[in-house]
Amino acid sequence: MQIYQVSLPASHNSRYHLYPGTARAWLNRLRLVFGAALAFLMIFIGVQPSPVQASVPESPVPLRLILNDWTSQLVMTRILGEVYQTHGYKVEYKLVSTKDQWARLHRGLEHIQVEVWEGTMAHDLEKIKVHGQVIEAGDHSAKTREEWWYPEYAEELCPGLPDWTALRDCAALFASPDTAPRGRYVAGPWEKPERARIRALDMDFVLTPAKTADDLWIELARASEIKQPIVLFNWSPNWVENRYRGKFIEFPSYAPECETDPAWGINPRRLYDCGNPKDGWLKKIAWHKMSVTWPCAYAILQDMDFTNAMISEVAAFVDADGLTDEEAAEKWLGENRAIWQSWGKNSCD
């Protein structure tokens, strides 16, 4: 075997000598060379090195969460914020209308919206997604619905319910002194084509809108106390289903043509001769840079998942039991530790 001698730079006394610093430098160079060669070999044979886990929180910038003006969204946002704080994140809350939230998410002024409804927000969400600044972080298991609703005891007087034709035939049972002999439908404070539906389906009802969502529940409580038939706007998930037994009216099934083509449906002369969509989605959305700025926080948002029953429960803590949004969030967190501690577990540990 032939041995090759490597000549090293001479020192000031012309002797071949390695100072400790020089030796360390050569060792570091060898480590770099062998490390690069090993990485290349691993990639060549298909073995990927393990990713380096970033520390949490990944950024000192606060996570800014949108608060809307209905109970379940407020409580669920507080729940997520508290979970983030247990991971060391700074959290800020911003009360924003559903109309204004899209531009703020688009610009990164706010980062998260935990409860986006298909029935009222699908159009705006699709418009803003075109610009690529807002991303979907997954759907909740909950399915949404917005429709006419009645307490179950009304079926004793109108046995054909929840079919819409039974409601039409029983209209006088739902009358009030102001509407008799026509029935009274208590609509929500939001603009919806309810009057067009009444005309298209020849419903003998007068629409009386509530000024606020709370006014709906006042009407429901008053009627339920004396078992008076009432039909009103309701939605699911909502606290009402946690505390009252009732059902949605089953109108003719919805199709997009119901809103655009008078010839479609049972009334060939009018639009809106159908009910609202059923089984709508409930999404979580985020600013598009969230997944790279706070990957752990984004994973937590993705794993956050509420069912109809869970959402109705947290809303009932406020609307039925009188807790504040913050108190309701704390109550839920205390009773469901195993659930929220699992959010982001595979990405944040």
Side-chain angles (χ1 to χ4, degrees):
M1 177 183 294
Q2 185 176 5
I3 299 176
Y4 293 91
Q5 184 174 359
V6 179
S7 296
L8 300 177
S11 67
H12 68 278
N13 60 3
S14 300
R15 297 178 60 192
Y16 294 118
H17 181 74
L18 287 175
Y19 291 104
T22 306
R24 283 194 297 270
W26 274 87
L27 286 172
N28 287 336
R29 289 172 187 167
L30 289 172
R31 290 191 185 101
L32 289 172
V33 171
F34 281 108
L38 179 60
F40 177 81
L41 179 62
M42 292 173 68
I43 294 172
F44 181 77
I45 65 176
V47 178
Q48 297 295 328
S50 299
V52 177
Q53 183 70 42
S55 60
V56 177
E58 306 91 335
S59 169
V61 176
L63 285 159
R64 294 190 289 274
L65 280 60
I66 288 175
L67 295 171
N68 288 145
D69 61 350
W70 66 92
T71 303
S72 61
Q73 199 277 346
L74 293 170
V75 179
M76 289 167 63
T77 302
R78 297 286 183 181
I79 287 171
L80 181 63
E82 290 293 325
V83 172
Y84 281 155
Q85 291 181 39
T86 67
H87 286 267
Y89 291 104
K90 295 179 181 178
V91 174
E92 294 178 357
Y93 300 95
K94 178 71 173 181
L95 184 62
V96 183
S97 70
T98 55
K99 177 182 177 181
D100 295 335
Q101 67 186 357
W102 309 108
R104 298 190 67 83
L105 284 163
H106 173 78
R107 298 188 181 102
L109 300 176
E110 268 70 58
H111 305 131
I112 300 167
Q113 217 293 36
V114 302
E115 192 178 322
V116 175
W117 286 61
E118 180 176 4
T120 54
M121 302 187 208
H123 179 68
D124 289 334
L125 176 59
E126 289 305 312
K127 283 175 58 179
I128 200 70
K129 278 170 56 181
V130 171
H131 302 287
Q133 303 292 94
V134 172
I135 56 176
E136 296 181 10
D139 291 8
H140 291 284
S141 293
K143 297 298 181 183
T144 64
R145 186 173 182 184
E146 301 170 279
E147 195 59 273
W148 295 29
W149 184 95
Y150 65 91
E152 200 170 68
Y153 61 77
E155 293 180 354
E156 298 174 9
L157 298 174
C158 187
L161 293 175
D163 186 83
W164 72 276
T165 59
L167 179 67
R168 182 182 60 186
D169 295 342
C170 294
L173 291 173
F174 295 86
S176 70
D178 295 334
T179 68
R182 304 175 70 187
R184 176 177 179 247
Y185 165 64
V186 186
W190 308 279
E191 185 176 347
K192 292 182 178 295
E194 306 278 29
R195 287 186 173 88
R197 177 189 291 172
I198 290 173
R199 289 192 298 269
L201 295 178
D202 196 23
M203 305 287 291
D204 197 19
F205 274 81
V206 175
L207 183 150
T208 58
K211 293 182 179 180
T212 69
D214 287 343
D215 291 332
L216 289 170
W217 318 138
I218 292 172
E219 292 279 358
L220 175 59
R222 183 183 298 132
S224 296
E225 187 174 355
I226 59 175
K227 295 293 188 290
Q228 176 186 349
I230 184 173
V231 60
L232 69 163
F233 179 78
N234 196 2
W235 60 92
S236 177
N238 183 21
W239 75 273
V240 170
E241 62 198 281
N242 186 264
R243 303 300 170 92
Y244 288 90
R245 295 177 63 87
K247 296 176 183 176
F248 289 110
I249 296 294
E250 298 297 341
F251 288 107
S253 296
Y254 173 84
E257 294 81 3
C258 178
E259 301 179 358
T260 59
D261 182 7
W264 181 96
I266 64 174
N267 187 338
R269 299 184 307 276
R270 293 189 180 276
L271 300 175
Y272 297 104
D273 50 347
C274 65
N276 291 326
K278 303 175 185 177
D279 297 327
W281 44 251
L282 192 67
K283 292 184 182 293
K284 303 157 288 181
I285 60 173
W287 179 49
H288 72 120
K289 292 185 179 179
M290 182 184 174
S291 60
V292 294
T293 307
W294 306 277
C296 169
Y298 185 69
I300 291 171
L301 178 62
Q302 287 181 303
D303 287 349
M304 180 187 189
D305 183 18
F306 277 72
T307 64
N308 288 68
M310 293 164 67
I311 294 175
S312 64
E313 179 186 47
V314 298
F317 291 158
V318 176
D319 291 326
D321 299 338
L323 301 182
T324 65
D325 303 335
E326 295 87 345
E327 290 169 343
E330 291 291 344
K331 178 178 175 63
W332 188 88
L333 288 163
E335 295 175 353
N336 297 275
R337 191 173 301 274
I339 293 177
W340 62 263
Q341 286 183 342
S342 70
W343 298 347
K345 188 171 182 63
N346 294 332
S347 302
C348 302
D349 287 349

